[in-house]
Amino acid sequence: MAVIEVSGLHRAYGDRKAVDGVSFAVEEGEIFGILGPNGAGKTTTVECVEGLRRPDTGRIRVAGYDPVADRGPVTRVLGAQLQESELQPKITAGEALELYAACCPDPADWRALAERLGLTGSLGTRFAKLSGGQKQRLFIALALVGNPRIVVLDELTTGLDPRARRDTWRLIEDVRASGVTVLLVTHFMEEAQRLCDRIALIDRGRITALDTPSGLIERTASGTEISFRPSAELDTEQLAALPSAVSVTRKDGRVVIHGTDETVSALLSLLAARGITAHQLRVTEATLDDAYLDLTGTGTDT
Ligand code: ATP
């Protein structure tokens, strides 16, 4: 069942089209990622889902509610960590968590949440004195303190050190395991590949691809690269005829073939049948980075 439905969303700022006909549906309990270059329209899209921006046209439903018209019910089911946020400079991290928890009908244990996010030692620190990473962790905790059914995280781990990033990923995996639906905007491919069940790639206000991480990788032209130095001459035409081979090139005595896993297996059989050894054999799989670059065009913020 879809808990977030976005259909034909358009939003412009003056004559600049930030979001230009975006549609997607997020299923209950999944982590749905939104990836795209700077200025692609990701934050505008999720802010419309959160009810913080009013769409020009299009239909959005969050747990069946209109995020603008049904503000109250949406606030009760949805937690949000915004890309940029501020709190009163003098409030401490602990006071902020306690205050937010007090405003929620069914709050989480905010001390346990702070512990999970490595904030216990900073609970007595005023907001203005927290480091960038501590502020980020506090905003993640505030997004989760109301035990939301849906959580929107815009640049979840930006500014976090590698250990804090991994701890946060584990927390989000636990959040998903408890049945919460996550809408995640990120620039980190490793994060998207590890966490997301499906990803929408947005470029210049439009979705250019929507698939699982492995589905996106399979679509990339880079595919699997096989490179080796054969012990005897090999016919280029015969290599090009290998199943799923896209290209065969030769460089400095090395043969480089682009194809798929199927091409690798067939090549190994061919080499074995001909008694040829593949010296310095390298098989490189395409990554989500390759898919991202292939599928989001030039991706400049113009
Ligand atoms: P980033 O990855 O850099 O955060 P994004 O994909 O989240 O980018 P948005 O913040 O949605 O992109 O911005 C989309 C476009 O709309 C950009 O060209 C941006 O300059 C413009 N824009 C965003 N907010 C406003 C605003 N309040 N007023 C005018 N233009 C805006």
Side-chain angles (χ1 to χ4, degrees), residues 214-228:
S214 53
L216 290 175
I217 292 167
E218 279 165 24
R219 288 192 204 191
T220 178
S222 317
T224 302
E225 184 181 282
I226 313 142
S227 141
F228 61 99

Side-chain angles (χ1 to χ4, degrees), residues 117-146:
L117 284 157
L119 275 172
T120 302
S122 316
L123 289 176
T125 308
R126 294 186 193 280
F127 179 74
K129 301 283 181 201
L130 294 172
S131 72
Q134 288 166 339
K135 285 181 181 169
Q136 180 78 346
R137 292 183 229 182
L138 176 59
F139 286 118
I140 296 168
L142 293 176
L144 295 170
V145 79

Side-chain angles (χ1 to χ4, degrees), residues 123-187:
L123 289 176
T125 308
R126 294 186 193 280
F127 179 74
K129 301 283 181 201
L130 294 172
S131 72
Q134 288 166 339
K135 285 181 181 169
Q136 180 78 346
R137 292 183 229 182
L138 176 59
F139 286 118
I140 296 168
L142 293 176
L144 295 170
V145 79
N147 262 331
R149 197 176 144 200
I150 302 160
V151 64
V152 182
L153 304 163
D154 193 347
E155 304 209 5
L156 171 69
T157 59
T158 299
L160 296 190
D161 62 55
R163 188 179 302 279
R165 178 168 296 155
R166 277 176 171 67
D167 290 347
T168 306
W169 291 346
R170 276 194 283 276
L171 173 69
I172 298 306
E173 282 166 346
D174 289 351
V175 164
R176 186 243 314 262
S178 68
V180 174
T181 306
V182 182
L183 181 59
L184 173 76
V185 175
T186 183
H187 283 292

Side-chain angles (χ1 to χ4, degrees), residues 11-14 16-19 36-45 47 53 83 154-155 185 187 202 301-302:
R11 178 65 156 90
Y13 300 101
R16 180 183 282 266
K17 287 181 185 172
V19 179
N38 292 131
K42 305 179 297 294
T43 294
T44 303
T45 301
E47 287 183 351
R53 292 198 186 278
Q83 195 179 91
D154 193 347
E155 304 209 5
V185 175
H187 283 292
I202 298 195
D301 186 0
T302 51

